[in-house]
Every structure is written in structure tokens, then in C-alpha cells.
């Protein structure tokens, strides 16, 4: 419940605090006085977009401060828990600051808050109905949403929307896959050809075969060089060799080993060297005496190397990288080969479509069942609003399959007739502006009154559009009655509506050095004067004042009768 609003440098308001009744509050004032400023301030607290033009001329910033009583408001408590914020009291404080440059800052209970947080919390606290609700009523989606809300079909509505979105997503994926099937087949063929090209290279080490080829292709020269090295290391000719010279050195070191530690150590080192030279000589001898190159092996290696270099040039990639790329090609080929074929995709689309049809049929059937009862309730509400012969009916027209959407399989229209003997027709064809306004008001009241759980403050901007006289009085009584169960805030130009309020707030201009808008809660003679102005214009007569007093007396008398009836019912 909205407890109070504080406005500072907001448009024509310099500084003002307004308190609200927990029941029906009405805002009146002459045209241009600034009645909508209170609604603007409340909208800012509810997270609506801020405009720098709302800052009072000559000021750097405007501030709005809203205080809400959230006693036993489980939805607000849940919101605080969901957003990991602490809630210690039954009072909620929202502050919004707007700079003249258009920047905006927000706080919830003194803690900075984002606009999205403010908006989501505001949807729990406040429900603002536009003065253009009569025009909204002409939009098919407004009628569908209202029917689902009054019929408590939110769960079925959500299920249908989810199923439709799933069907559309899978259908798009299938369509995309089918349109790309040719490209996919071409890509798989290319990858297969590449893998077939390099398949002979995948089982060998390119560096090793390249080294082996170099050796085999030069084997005869290498064998000759090996024999020359053997002759230098050890031979039977008179030419000195490494082995003979090493033997001489070893004998010298052995002879003096017992006289010098150095000679002893060198003797051991030379012995090791002699073993290694003998090993090297043996290996070189074997190498020099081996068979000539294996021509088949040489041809095999030459073929592999030729293939490797040809593919390297073909794919403009070094051989080693080409072999590494093969694993990526294989992975891509496996992925493409593992994608579902067209038959599998069609089966998935059909399954999703059947799920959507099931959800949509459940929703549409529930709508068809509940619609007559809702129409009866709507007609009963219109009866006292100078529409005694009003008849309403929901028309359900099956859509073509290509037109199915997230809202179901039927186009839904609200048909209306205000006169006896006249056929039911779509609202835009038969309803006058006043009839549209009254129907919009009743539908909004029903939507608010049928809400479950914590009820937000219900705000009507220009609640009396298109009504006057006795109808306005009935509207006032309707809002006063609703105010017993839910806080209401309404702007009106009709005295009959304003007289029914539990609290009357007057907005008026003060033309001093700089024009300002002032806001006051009026009672007694001040209220009578304002209601008389609204009834009779500029020249207020005693007859007008007496008419206003009669209005107030009738309302007070109706309250007494209602209180007595409630007391008797309780007893």
C-alpha cells in the first residue's frame, strides 16, 4: 500500500509530501494544474523511464521519495529474498533522483538499485491503468490476455507459449539443416578426399623416412668412407694407425703408473678409449662390408617422399602440419556424419508440433469453457453503468494452421451489443466512446479484484473518460466499494466520482514570482467548494453546493447501510 509520496523540484512542484488513504483516493484540479505529476512521481518509483524535462526549471535535480506499507505482503518478501536483499521492517522506502542532464539514480531502503530491479518491484506494488484503456480494448491481444487473467489460465498460457517457442526453434534448426544438406554433403566429400590423399602418410614418421632415404641414396659413398675410417683406426700396413699409436701411449703410461698418480689415471682413460675405438672400428667395418642398398625399399621411400611433397604443394601446408590437420579433418567428418538426417529432423519437428497442439488445445478448450461465465460477470458489472441491456460474448474462430502462434489456435474477439434486438458485433463496430470507457473500467476493476495474493495499489489515469451524470455516480460507488479491499488512486473530472473517494487530493497552481503547483488533502468546506466547482463551473451557486452536500450525504448513508449489513452478516 502506498503510504506517502514526497516530491522535490518535480516539474511545477517545489517541495511537497502527500499521504494516502488505504482505500479510495481521488485527485482533482483544473486542467493544467499538474494532476498527473502525482502519477508521474509514482511511476518513477515503479521504475518507469525518467526524462530530464521533469526536473523543475532552474534546478539541477528532482527527487521522488515513496513510502509503502508492505505488512503481510508475501510477494514483496519473496522479491527481497530472490534479490538477496535484507527486509527488516514492514515499511518499504523507494527513492529516485533525476538530474537535469537526464541521469537517474535509485535506492531501495537506502541501498542502490538498478532500474530493472525497481521496475520488477514496482510491478508488485503498483498497477497503473492508462487513460487510453478504451483504445487498448480494441486490440485483440488485450482481450486474450484479459480473458486468460480472469479465467486463471496463466499456467496453460505459459505452457502453450513455451511449446510454441520450442516447436519454432526445432523447425528452424531442421529447415537450416535441410538447406545446408548439399553444402554438408560437398564438405564431407572434400574431407573424405583429403583424408584419402594423405592416408599413406598417416602411419609413418615423415622425419624418419626422410632421414632413411638420405642414407640409402648415398649408401655406396658412405660404405667407402667407412672403410677409409677403419684403415685410419687400425690396419696391418706400415702406416701408423690410431690403434698402434694408442698402444704406444698406453705402454708409456703403464710403465710410469706406479711413480705418478697422473700416469696411473691416464692409463685408465686410455684403456677406455681403446675399448671405444675398437667398438667404433667394428661398427664401421660392418657398415663398410654390408650389402648394397635395397632398391625396393629405396623406391618405397622415394614414393612416400614424393607424395608428401606433392600434397604439401597441393594444400599449401608443410608436411608435418598437413599430417596434424588430418586429425581435425577426421573430427569434422565424424561430426558432420553424426548429424541427424532429414527423416530424424522431421520426426523431431513433428514431435514438437504435437506437443504444441496438445498445449494449445488444452488452453483453447479451457478458454471456451470459462468464457460464458466471464461474460455473465462482465454484463452484471455493466448493468448499473447505464448499460442495462449490454450483452457480451467471446467469439472463437479457428486459425489456418499457418497462423498458429504462441497464443493458441483460435482468433478470439469480444462481441458486444448495448441495445435490445441488436446483434452482437465486434466492439470497434458498435461501441461508442463512452461504452468503451465503461467497459474498459469494468474489465480493469475485474482484473484487479480477481487478483490472488497481495494486491497492488490500483491507479486509474482519467478514470471518467466518456461518462457523466448518473453513470459517473455509479462509477464512483464502484470504486469506493473496491477501495474497501484494495487501495485505489484515480484522477477524475467528475464530481460524482470524486465525492465517493475516501480521501480527496486537490492539485492547484500558485501564480507567484514563479508558477508552482501545490497539492493538498481537502475536507469539509474546501472539499465541498472543489466538488461544486467540478459540478457547476466558475460560478458556484448555493444550489450547486447543496447538490454536492446531497452527494456526500448519500455516500455517507450508503456506507451506514453497508456497515449495518456487514454487522448483521457477522452476527
Amino acid at each position: 500500500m502506498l503510504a506517502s509520496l514526497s516530491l522535490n523540484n518535480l516539474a511545477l512542484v517545489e517541495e511537497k509530501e502527500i499521504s494516502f488513504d488505504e482505500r479510495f483516493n481521488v485527485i482533482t484540479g483544473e486542467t493544467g494544474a499538474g494532476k498527473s505529476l502525482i502519477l508521474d512521481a509514482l511511476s518513477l518509483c515503479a521504475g518507469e523511464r525518467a526524462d530530464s524535462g521533469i526536473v523543475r526549471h532552474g534546478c539541477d535535480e528532482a527527487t521522488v521519495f515513496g513510502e509503502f506499507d508492505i505488512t503481510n505482503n508475501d510477494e514483496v518478501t519473496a522479491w527481497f529474498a530472490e534479490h538477496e536483499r535484507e527486509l527488516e521492517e514492514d515499511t518499504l522506502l523507494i527513492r529516485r533522483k533525476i538530474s537535469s542532464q537526464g541521469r537517474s539514480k535509485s535506492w531501495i531502503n537506502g541501498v542502490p538499485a538498478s532500474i530493472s530491479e525497481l521496475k520488477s518491484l514496482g510491478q508488485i506494488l503498483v498497477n497503473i491503468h492508462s487513460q487510453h484503456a478504451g483504445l487498448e480494448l480494441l486490440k485483440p491481444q488485450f482481450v486474450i490476455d484479459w480473458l486468460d487473467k480472469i479465467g486463471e489460465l496463466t499456467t496453460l498460457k505459459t505452457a502453450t507459449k513455451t511449446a510454441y517457442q520450442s516447436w519454432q526453434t526445432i523447425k528452424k534448426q531442421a529447415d537450416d539443416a535441410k538447406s545446408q544438406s548439399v553444402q554438408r554433403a560437398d564438405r564431407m566429400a572434400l574431407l573424405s578426399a583429403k583424408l584419402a590423399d594423405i592416408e599413406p602418410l598417416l602411419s609413418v614418421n615423415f622425419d624418419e623416412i626422410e632421414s632413411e632415404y638420405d642414407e640409402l641414396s648415398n649408401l655406396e659413398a658412405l660404405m667407402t668412407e667407412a672403410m677409409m675410417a677403419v684403415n685410419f683406426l687400425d690396419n696391418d700396413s706400415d702406416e701408423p694407425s690410431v690403434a698402434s699409436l694408442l698402444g704406444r701411449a698406453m705402454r708409456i703410461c703403464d710403465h710410469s703408473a706406479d711413480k705418478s698418480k697422473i700416469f696411473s689415471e691416464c692409463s685408465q682413460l686410455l684403456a677406455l678409449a681403446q675399448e671405444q675405438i675398437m667398438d667404433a672400428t667394428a661398427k664401421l667395418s660392418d657398415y663398410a662390408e654390408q650389402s648394397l642398398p635395397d632398391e625396393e625399399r629405396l623406391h618405397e621411400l622415394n614414393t612416400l617422399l614424393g607424395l608428401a611433397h606433392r600434397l604439401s604443394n597441393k594444400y599449401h601446408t608443410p608436411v608435418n602440419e598437413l599430417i596434424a590437420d588430418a586429425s581435425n579433418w577426421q573430427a569434422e567428418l565424424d561430426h558432420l556424419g553424426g548429424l541427424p538426417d532429414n527423416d530424424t529432423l522431421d520426426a523431431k519437428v513433428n514431435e514438437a508440433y504435437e506437443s504444441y497442439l496438445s498445449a494449445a488445445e488444452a488452453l483453447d478448450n479451457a478458454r471456451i469453457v470459462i468464457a460464458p461465465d466471464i461474460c455473465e460477470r462482465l454484463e452484471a458489472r455493466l448493468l448499473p453503468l447505464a448499460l442495462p441491456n449490454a450483452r457480451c460474448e467471446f467469439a472463437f474462430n479457428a486459425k489456418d494452421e499457418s497462423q498458429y502462434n504462441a497464443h493458441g489456435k483460435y482468433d478470439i474477439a469480444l462481441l458486444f451489443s448495448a441495445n435490445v434486438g441488436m446483434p452482437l458485433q465486434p466492439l470497434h463496430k458498435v461501441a461508442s466512446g463512452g461504452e468503451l470507457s465503461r467497459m474498459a473500467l469494468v474489465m480493469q476493476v475485474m482484473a484487479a479484484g480477481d487478483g490472488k495474493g497481495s494486491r497492488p495499489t490500483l491507479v486509474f489515469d482519467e478514470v471518467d473518460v466518456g461518462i457523466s451524470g448518473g453513470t459517473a455516480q455509479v462509477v464512483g460507488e464502484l470504486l469506493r466499494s473496491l477501495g474497501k479491499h484494495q487501495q485505489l488512486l484515480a484522477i477524475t473530472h467528475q464530481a460524482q466520482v470524486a465525492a465517493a473517494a475516501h480521501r480527496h487530493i486537490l492539485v492547484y497552481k500558485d501564480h507567484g514570482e514563479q508558477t508552482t503547483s501545490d497539492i493538498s488533502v481537502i475536507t469539509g468546506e474546501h472539499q465541498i467548494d472543489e466538488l461544486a466547482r467540478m459540478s457547476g463551473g466558475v460560478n458556484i451557486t448555493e444550489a450547486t453546493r447543496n447538490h454536492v452536500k446531497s452527494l456526500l450525504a448519500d455516500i455517507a448513508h450508503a456506507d451506514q447501510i453497508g456497515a449495518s449489513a456487514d454487522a448483521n452478516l457477522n452476527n
Side-chain angles (χ1 to χ4, degrees), residues 417-488:
S417 174
N419 303 302
V420 176
M422 298 303 293
L424 291 161
Q425 294 190 55
L427 278 171
H428 68 276
K429 291 185 176 181
V430 295
S432 66
E435 290 167 345
L436 277 177
S437 297
R438 278 172 278 177
M439 181 168 283
L441 173 62
V442 168
M443 291 174 74
Q444 291 166 356
V445 169
M446 288 177 66
D450 287 354
K452 304 298 181 182
S454 304
R455 295 180 175 181
T457 296
L458 188 60
V459 181
F460 292 105
D461 185 3
E462 303 288 359
V463 71
D464 51 17
V465 173
I467 62 172
S468 60
T471 303
Q473 184 171 349
V474 174
V475 168
E477 293 170 356
L478 174 66
L479 296 177
R480 186 177 181 88
S481 175
L482 183 61
K484 296 177 182 178
H485 311 285
Q486 181 173 10
Q487 187 182 43
L488 276 75

Side-chain angles (χ1 to χ4, degrees), residues 160-171:
T160 301
K161 181 178 180 180
T162 301
Y164 177 80
Q165 291 173 340
S166 177
W167 169 42
Q168 291 299 303
T169 299
I170 295 173
K171 185 174 182 295

Side-chain angles (χ1 to χ4, degrees), residues 72-119:
N72 298 325
N73 194 320
D74 295 335
E75 290 186 56
V76 171
T77 302
W79 185 94
F80 269 77
E82 179 183 347
H83 290 79
E84 298 180 349
R85 288 173 172 263
E86 293 185 4
L87 183 62
E88 299 178 351
E89 300 179 357
D90 290 333
T91 298
L92 173 62
L93 306 176
I94 295 177
R95 182 186 176 200
R96 184 88 178 269
K97 181 186 292 185
I98 303 94
S99 73
S100 56
Q101 287 77 38
R103 292 188 295 272
S104 171
K105 294 182 179 179
S106 309
W107 294 264
I108 297 175
N109 281 351
V111 179
S114 66
I115 293 300
S116 61
E117 287 180 314
L118 210 60
K119 184 179 286 289

Side-chain angles (χ1 to χ4, degrees), residues 202-486:
L202 298 179
S203 59
V204 299
N205 185 305
F206 177 74
D207 291 334
E208 290 180 359
I209 64 171
E210 190 173 42
S211 177
E212 184 182 356
Y213 177 79
D214 287 342
E215 182 178 6
L216 291 180
S217 61
N218 295 283
L219 187 57
E220 290 188 40
L222 291 172
M223 290 170 66
T224 299
E225 290 178 354
M227 184 55 69
M228 290 174 61
V230 169
N231 287 333
F232 284 127
L233 291 172
D234 192 9
N235 61 71
D236 297 331
S237 67
D238 294 335
E239 293 287 335
S241 65
V242 172
S244 63
L245 294 174
L246 181 59
R248 292 178 188 179
M250 289 178 65
R251 286 191 293 274
I252 293 172
C253 289
D254 288 343
H255 181 264
S256 302
D258 58 344
K259 299 179 181 68
S260 170
K261 183 179 179 180
I262 294 299
F263 278 81
S264 176
E265 292 176 353
C266 289
S267 178
Q268 295 175 9
L269 292 173
L270 290 173
L272 292 173
Q274 186 182 46
E275 291 179 6
Q276 292 176 342
I277 289 172
M278 290 172 65
D279 289 343
T281 301
K283 289 183 178 181
L284 287 170
S285 295
D286 291 340
Y287 193 87
E289 295 172 358
Q290 68 177 305
S291 303
L292 290 175
D294 182 349
E295 293 299 330
E296 290 186 6
R297 178 59 178 167
L298 191 60
H299 177 72
E300 180 184 354
L301 294 174
N302 186 51
T303 301
L304 287 172
L305 289 173
L307 175 63
H309 290 297
R310 179 173 61 80
L311 294 176
S312 177
N313 292 331
K314 179 180 179 180
Y315 296 115
H316 306 288
T317 306
V319 175
N320 287 328
E321 293 183 17
L322 189 65
I323 294 173
D325 286 344
S327 62
N328 296 329
W329 297 342
Q330 186 63 56
E332 184 180 356
L333 183 62
D334 291 341
H335 170 69
L336 293 175
L339 293 176
D341 56 25
N342 289 347
D343 290 340
T344 302
L345 291 172
D346 288 340
K348 288 185 176 181
V349 172
N350 289 334
E351 182 181 354
Y353 177 61
E354 291 299 327
S355 295
Y356 162 72
L357 288 181
S358 177
E361 287 172 2
L363 174 62
D364 289 329
N365 290 339
R367 287 167 171 167
I368 292 171
V369 169
I370 197 68
D373 177 66
I374 292 177
C375 285
E376 288 183 9
R377 290 157 59 188
L378 179 58
E379 291 168 359
R381 295 268 192 163
L382 290 171
L383 180 65
L385 298 182
L387 289 171
N389 300 309
R391 290 183 297 125
C392 303
E393 182 179 302
F394 286 100
F396 294 84
N397 297 307
K399 299 177 183 176
D400 183 79
E401 185 176 350
S402 63
Q403 301 299 315
Y404 288 173
N405 59 27
H407 306 294
K409 302 192 304 173
Y410 286 84
D411 287 320
I412 304 175
L414 180 58
L415 306 182
F416 174 76
S417 174
N419 303 302
V420 176
M422 298 303 293
L424 291 161
Q425 294 190 55
L427 278 171
H428 68 276
K429 291 185 176 181
V430 295
S432 66
E435 290 167 345
L436 277 177
S437 297
R438 278 172 278 177
M439 181 168 283
L441 173 62
V442 168
M443 291 174 74
Q444 291 166 356
V445 169
M446 288 177 66
D450 287 354
K452 304 298 181 182
S454 304
R455 295 180 175 181
T457 296
L458 188 60
V459 181
F460 292 105
D461 185 3
E462 303 288 359
V463 71
D464 51 17
V465 173
I467 62 172
S468 60
T471 303
Q473 184 171 349
V474 174
V475 168
E477 293 170 356
L478 174 66
L479 296 177
R480 186 177 181 88
S481 175
L482 183 61
K484 296 177 182 178
H485 311 285
Q486 181 173 10

